[in-house]
Amino acid sequence: GRGESVTPRRGRWSSIVVAVQMALVFVLTVAGSLVIGSLWWAFRQDPGFSPGQTAVVDLSAGAGTLAERNDRFRIAVARLRELPGVTHVGVVAGPFLRRGWRVPPLNDPALRREQLVTVGGDFFEMLGLGAIEGRLPTPQELSSSAPVAVVSDRIARRMWPGETAVGRVLAGSSFQYQVIGVVPDARFSGLDDSSRGQIYWPIGSGLGSTILVAGATPGDETLRRVLEAIRAAGPASGVTRATTVDRTFTELLRRRLFVAWFYGLFAASALVIVGVGILGLVAMSTAARTREIGIRSSLGATGDRLVRGLVAEQLAPVAAGLAMGGVIAAWAVTYLRSTLYEFSIYDTRLWSIAAAALLLTATVGALIPAVRAARIDPVRALRTD
């Protein structure tokens, strides 16, 4: 009968406040969930090669003629090979492990956005890039600028679908390389950067700019010993960057880490605000209805019925806010495309988690004062003005 429910007497303004709160918080929570989920996914990705205990050192060209600079570079590489515990020394020309690599103009326009990696030494062996088709360049081919190239699997499948890439020719205005092997795709621009595919060809006897050193000791220890050896060789070639592969990947993700923290803190703060806000609104509402609750109790309404009725009243504007927030979020998250890594902005798992977190927070915020109100002594409630 009449004792089985609670008649809502809250002003419309409190319902509107709750609905608006929920809508705004839902947008922030969805955005935070997407950014954090995308970053978590990026950290789980396989770079396509084995970083191992690898140190990365960039060297400046230094003074002198090209021949003199090349000689100094070769001497530095030779000194590093003699270090105890060093297992591999590789050489790369260009900005290795940095964003923005582009292949120089090739005759095939489809290859102009791929990564070009000019390598020498033990590059393939130290990074675990084995041939999945054909073979790798020999040390002699790498040191003599032989007209051979290795392509990654993505390029091979896109350029020659259903056919072998071995024996194909990559040509430009002033060069021509024959493909001798195919290796797995790698993420040299960061774990959060989809592999565009790579083309590798020999560095020859020319001057490199980056030396990779792998050893049996941890990367930081290997790096310290490498720097000591380079300084002992003389001041001709300056070190412009000294780090490890693992640390480089973390640095490449730093911008996304900041964005993830930013959105994550906003989302967490919003959840706290909405929980406290709903708790406060319900507490004020139930305090103003103490006498009514006492009457309902005296007419036979059980504590469970009273709690369900009070909570249901609060969750109606919550549901409306979630619906409104969903519409706003569907438009707002389109601006996050550039910050997400291989992640759909409409990932149903994260949207569901965000909605569930908000609904749970709102339910707890409404339940606490409702339970307190249902425990009020009906006699004391009826005496309340």
Side-chain angles (χ1 to χ4, degrees):
R2 296 176 58 190
E4 298 300 313
S5 64
V6 177
T7 304
R9 289 187 177 179
R10 286 183 307 151
R12 291 185 178 180
W13 68 268
S14 59
S15 296
I16 294 174
V17 169
V18 171
V20 171
Q21 270 189 343
M22 291 301 298
L24 295 178
V25 172
F26 186 59
V27 173
L28 290 175
T29 306
V30 167
S33 300
L34 289 174
V35 173
I36 294 173
S38 172
L39 188 66
W40 172 78
W41 183 262
F43 270 116
R44 295 184 61 203
Q45 297 310 296
D46 180 6
F49 63 95
S50 175
Q53 307 291 348
T54 305
V56 182
V57 179
D58 289 348
L59 298 180
S60 62
T65 65
L66 178 60
E68 292 172 339
R69 296 198 299 269
N70 285 342
D71 287 340
R72 287 197 299 267
F73 189 81
R74 284 193 291 271
I75 291 173
V77 171
R79 284 178 176 269
L80 294 177
R81 290 187 182 279
E82 296 172 357
L83 287 177
V86 168
T87 57
H88 296 96
V89 178
V91 180
V92 183
F96 184 67
L97 293 180
R98 292 182 179 177
R99 301 189 190 277
W101 289 350
R102 293 292 182 267
V103 166
L106 296 172
N107 291 343
D108 193 329
L111 291 175
R112 292 184 180 178
R113 292 186 58 81
E114 306 303 331
Q115 291 178 331
L116 169 68
V117 193
T118 308
V119 302
D122 308 325
F123 178 86
F124 293 103
E125 293 81 3
M126 71 188 304
L127 295 183
L129 287 170
I132 57 179
E133 183 183 354
R135 64 176 179 85
L136 297 175
T138 64
Q140 292 73 23
E141 288 172 330
L142 290 174
S143 61
S144 63
S145 298
V148 297
V150 173
V151 299
S152 69
D153 186 49
R154 175 174 175 173
I155 292 179
R157 286 186 285 105
R158 191 177 76 242
M159 295 302 299
W160 306 287
E163 302 178 18
T164 180
V166 177
R168 303 288 181 170
V169 174
L170 298 173
S173 57
S174 59
F175 56 84
Q176 189 174 31
Y177 291 86
Q178 184 179 40
V179 177
I180 62 171
V182 179
V183 295
D185 295 315
R187 301 177 189 269
F188 290 134
S189 293
L191 293 174
D192 61 334
D193 187 28
S194 297
S195 173
R196 295 188 296 269
Q198 293 80 34
I199 299 173
Y200 306 88
W201 52 45
I203 194 171
S205 59
L207 178 67
S209 63
T210 301
I211 299 177
L212 306 178
V213 183
T217 58
D220 288 332
E221 176 63 20
T222 300
L223 180 61
R224 183 186 64 79
R225 297 170 61 192
V226 167
L227 292 177
E228 289 177 353
I230 291 176
R231 294 190 186 103
S237 295
V239 175
T240 59
R241 181 179 63 149
T243 184
T244 63
V245 173
D246 288 337
R247 190 178 303 136
T248 299
F249 276 125
T250 301
E251 292 171 354
L252 289 171
L253 285 171
R254 183 170 296 169
R255 181 178 65 87
R256 297 188 188 274
L257 282 170
F258 172 78
V259 174
W261 274 105
F262 179 80
Y263 279 99
L265 288 175
F266 262 100
S269 301
L271 284 173
V272 173
I273 290 172
V274 76
V276 173
I278 290 178
L279 189 150
L281 286 172
V282 177
M284 288 190 296
S285 175
T286 53
R289 300 168 60 188
T290 303
R291 185 177 180 83
E292 176 193 342
I293 293 171
I295 294 173
R296 299 301 177 189
S297 296
S298 64
L299 291 176
T302 63
D304 291 344
R305 292 281 185 174
L306 287 170
V307 170
R308 285 198 296 269
L310 288 169
V311 172
E313 290 177 17
Q314 308 304 320
L315 293 185
V318 167
L322 285 176
M324 181 170 58
V327 174
I328 298 173
W331 164 78
V333 295
T334 58
Y335 294 96
L336 292 178
R337 290 185 191 274
S338 61
T339 64
L340 302 184
Y341 166 73
E342 291 187 356
F343 230 75
S344 169
I345 58 175
Y346 301 117
D347 187 282
T348 54
R349 296 167 299 175
L350 294 183
W351 280 67
S352 299
I353 291 173
L358 277 177
L359 191 58
L360 178 62
T361 303
T363 301
V364 172
L367 190 61
I368 294 174
V371 170
R372 290 177 180 173
R375 291 177 178 175
I376 296 176
D377 183 4
V379 176
R380 289 181 56 192
L382 289 173
R383 293 176 180 174
T384 304
D385 294 331

